[in-house]
Amino acid sequence: MYKHLKMFVLLLAAFQTYAQEEIKADSLKAVKVEGSTRSIKKSYTVTANSAVMTSKELLKAACCNLAEAFETNPSIDVNFSDALTGTKQIRMLGLTSPYLMITEENIPSVRGASQAYGLSFTPGTWVESIQITKGAGSVVNGYESISGQINTELIKPINDIPFFLNLYGSTDSRFEANVHTSRKLSDKWSSSLFLHTNTRLSKNDMNDDGFLDNPLGKQINVLNRYQYYNPESGWVSFISLRYMNDEKQTGEVAFDPKRDKFTLNHWGSEINTERFDLSTKIGYVFKDMPYQSIGFQNAFTSHRQDSYFGFNSYDIRQDSYYSNLIFNSIINNTKHKFAAGLNFTYDNYREIVGVTDASRIDNSMGAFLEYTYDNTDNFSLVLGGRVDNHNRLGVFATPRLHVRYNPWEKAVLRFSAGRGKRAANIFAENQNLIGSSRTISVLNAGGKFYGLDPEIAWNYGLSFGQKFKLLGKNAEAQVDFYRTDFENQIIVDVMESPQRATFYNGKSYANSLQFEFNFEFIKHLDLRTAYKYYDIATEYLSGTFQRPLQAKHRFFANLAYATHIDDKGHQWKFDYTFNWLGKQQLPTTASNPAADRLPEFSPSFAVMNVQVTRTFSSTFEVYIGGENIGNYRQEKAILGSENPFGNTFDTSIVYAPVFGQMYYAGLRFKIK
């Protein structure tokens, strides 16, 4: 492992020498302008409570994929989902990612079969920006959003550079390579090709429990994009084709799938995913009426996952088609705008859980109307509604409201309310439970989704932000409060017995309170802090408990400093991120033998990440960093690891890092 890292560092040095010879003085001005911009942009004139993470923010951490892009963002919590796969799970307002509408260029992306691992299928270097909206999202994108929306914008071919290279290596034996190429095909057509590969070949067991801390695996990911742009005629279009193949192997260190699969020799797991995406977008802006436009989005996805966890097999296929027709215009003047259109969604699931066939077909047709009023001064609102006809959800309405008011200078007050409804994919969203000895059962309520009824929730939010001067320097404070009331939620009950996981319909609520304070100490030295309080309770069969594996109290801080750019284009960038998590309710283990019991609550702990970036020119930079540099590890990440085929084996109770310290290095090289 360290031999590979040494070779990687030597490669960095070689590129450094080359880059120093290629420094261009005329790039200095552009770098200076970029350095003065905020990496997370917030607008006090936008109606919704949203923020935009720019590409500059994504460079503050290794950001190997979308799941790791939120380490420096105070609005998103990043957790590990289990002790096997190393998969990171994100939460907003205390709710897991299935309650978020996750879109890619406003087309739903991480949904259905891809809920567990889908965020790791988008490499970070492909991302141009990420828009994060708290509260119920826009009705234009669908009815499923409950706690918020995350929209990822990929790099556009028309703005892309001819060549980009990113190489990455870490002490946990993970290596990555990203190559982007772009060219102009004509005066109206541009194309980009994105290539990504990552691999982990070495076995690591830092806590000596006999199990891999991170899975072995490899991924190949290819994206080809075409963009047509003709401002004279008003037409613009995109065509995107993507293929991804991801293979993971985890389990006991001694596990060999060729020899031990479905035997009692050693416990192991393999998760193999193949995915194909094709999407098209076409838009037209009316020449005589530039405020009026029409857009048509289409996307086809084929997702295949074959997996097993010990003796538990789980296979899912999803073929999906999504279509969205949107018309934008005004009413009398530009203070009154509206968007109207039609959605169509088709999902064909072939899902096999052990010997249970849970295959089904979902399809829906919906119509939406969204009205926007903006007095161009201190008040705006977005009022939206949609009606959908779903083959299993029936006919239902979805109302949404966002309001903004600026009571005085550099202050903003926002309110939002909305309803969300979703058909939960209970096995795809809870695959961490399949990697345990728990018996999984469903208390059939006669519903149309695994015998259960759909999830329905209302979300309400209030936010206030103020910019001001503190000691003569720029400062900003913001407080957000959101409440989510579930009229009906599919409860995952792990509070009754450590040998069972039971799904049933029930009620719950989630209160989220966040205080954020940002301060610029001196020029180029910025502090970003946030305190978050979560009051999340669920009604279980055995009583009402705090949501398991969710800290009530969290504190976040990010300190970023960049030196002045000298005449040769040299610059240093330093980033430090601190996360403190309070105690977390743990699933019950009271009936287990003493050796496999956990306390009722986890201890509080802190995790620290750092990164140092050295820029040599506008075309070349190197970076080195560390995650969890305090080396905090969960003492017992896998229950029953001594007997993985016994009835106390559980890999799903993970509240803290498993691996410990991890250090990495990488380079970025561009040809402009």
Side-chain angles (χ1 to χ4, degrees), residues 111-148:
R111 56 184 298 273
S114 63
Q115 278 288 0
Y117 312 112
L119 286 171
S120 65
F121 297 158
T122 300
T125 62
W126 296 6
V127 178
E128 183 178 74
S129 64
I130 302 173
Q131 181 183 10
I132 301 171
T133 302
K134 289 186 177 181
S138 170
V139 294
V140 174
N141 299 116
Y143 52 82
E144 294 181 319
S145 170
I146 292 177
S147 63

Side-chain angles (χ1 to χ4, degrees), residues 122 124 239 262:
T122 300
I239 303 173
F262 296 141

Side-chain angles (χ1 to χ4, degrees), residues 494-495 536 540 544-552 582-588 599-602 653-655:
V494 290
M495 301 303 297
I536 305 175
Y540 296 98
T544 300
F545 293 95
Q546 180 182 330
R547 182 73 54 82
L549 302 175
Q550 172 67 59
K552 265 197 171 186
K583 65 180 184 178
Q584 303 172 48
Q585 174 83 59
L586 298 181
T588 183
E600 185 179 358
F601 290 91
S602 71
I653 308 179
V654 175
Y655 60 84

Side-chain angles (χ1 to χ4, degrees), residues 45-48 136-140 337-339 369-374 379-385 399-404 415-417:
T45 60
V46 173
T47 308
S138 170
V139 294
V140 174
K337 303 176 184 177
F338 73 90
L369 176 64
E370 188 172 75
Y371 165 75
T372 301
Y373 171 76
D374 191 338
F379 179 79
S380 64
L381 68 83
V382 177
L383 177 63
R400 304 272 172 85
L401 173 68
H402 293 268
V403 180
R404 168 192 63 93
F415 170 76
S416 68

Side-chain angles (χ1 to χ4, degrees), residues 588-654:
T588 183
T589 56
S591 61
N592 277 349
D596 290 324
R597 287 181 203 154
L598 294 173
E600 185 179 358
F601 290 91
S602 71
S604 60
F605 66 95
V607 174
M608 295 174 286
N609 301 336
V610 296
Q611 180 173 292
V612 179
T613 303
R614 175 60 167 170
T615 301
F616 296 96
S617 71
S618 63
T619 61
F620 180 74
E621 65 183 16
V622 298
Y623 56 92
I624 188 167
E627 296 184 359
N628 190 20
I629 59 175
N631 200 34
Y632 184 86
R633 292 199 300 261
Q634 182 173 331
E635 288 186 8
K636 196 171 185 64
I638 299 179
L639 297 184
S641 57
E642 301 83 1
N643 181 21
F645 298 100
N647 65 356
T648 63
F649 181 69
D650 198 338
T651 66
S652 65
I653 308 179
V654 175

Side-chain angles (χ1 to χ4, degrees), residues 16-136:
Q16 173 183 341
T17 303
Y18 172 75
Q20 288 175 323
E21 297 174 355
E22 293 294 317
I23 293 172
K24 302 295 182 181
D26 59 359
S27 68
L28 190 57
K29 183 178 179 181
V31 175
K32 283 185 177 179
V33 172
E34 183 180 351
S36 64
T37 60
R38 294 258 177 209
S39 57
I40 295 183
K41 296 181 178 180
K42 295 182 179 180
S43 173
Y44 279 22
T45 60
V46 173
T47 308
N49 185 8
S50 61
V52 177
M53 296 174 58
T54 66
S55 57
K56 182 180 177 183
E57 179 69 19
L58 299 177
L59 299 179
K60 286 188 173 185
C63 188
C64 298
N65 56 57
L66 193 59
E68 301 167 335
F70 304 101
E71 300 279 4
T72 60
N73 189 291
S75 297
I76 305 292
D77 300 327
V78 182
N79 304 79
F80 287 97
S81 63
D82 56 67
L84 291 175
T85 63
T87 304
K88 292 186 178 180
Q89 181 188 72
I90 64 170
R91 299 181 184 181
M92 182 188 287
L93 309 184
L95 299 176
T96 54
S97 58
Y99 299 106
L100 286 163
M101 171 68 76
I102 301 177
T103 60
E104 185 173 283
E105 300 190 333
N106 290 309
I107 296 176
S109 56
V110 180
R111 56 184 298 273
S114 63
Q115 278 288 0
Y117 312 112
L119 286 171
S120 65
F121 297 158
T122 300
T125 62
W126 296 6
V127 178
E128 183 178 74
S129 64
I130 302 173
Q131 181 183 10
I132 301 171
T133 302
K134 289 186 177 181

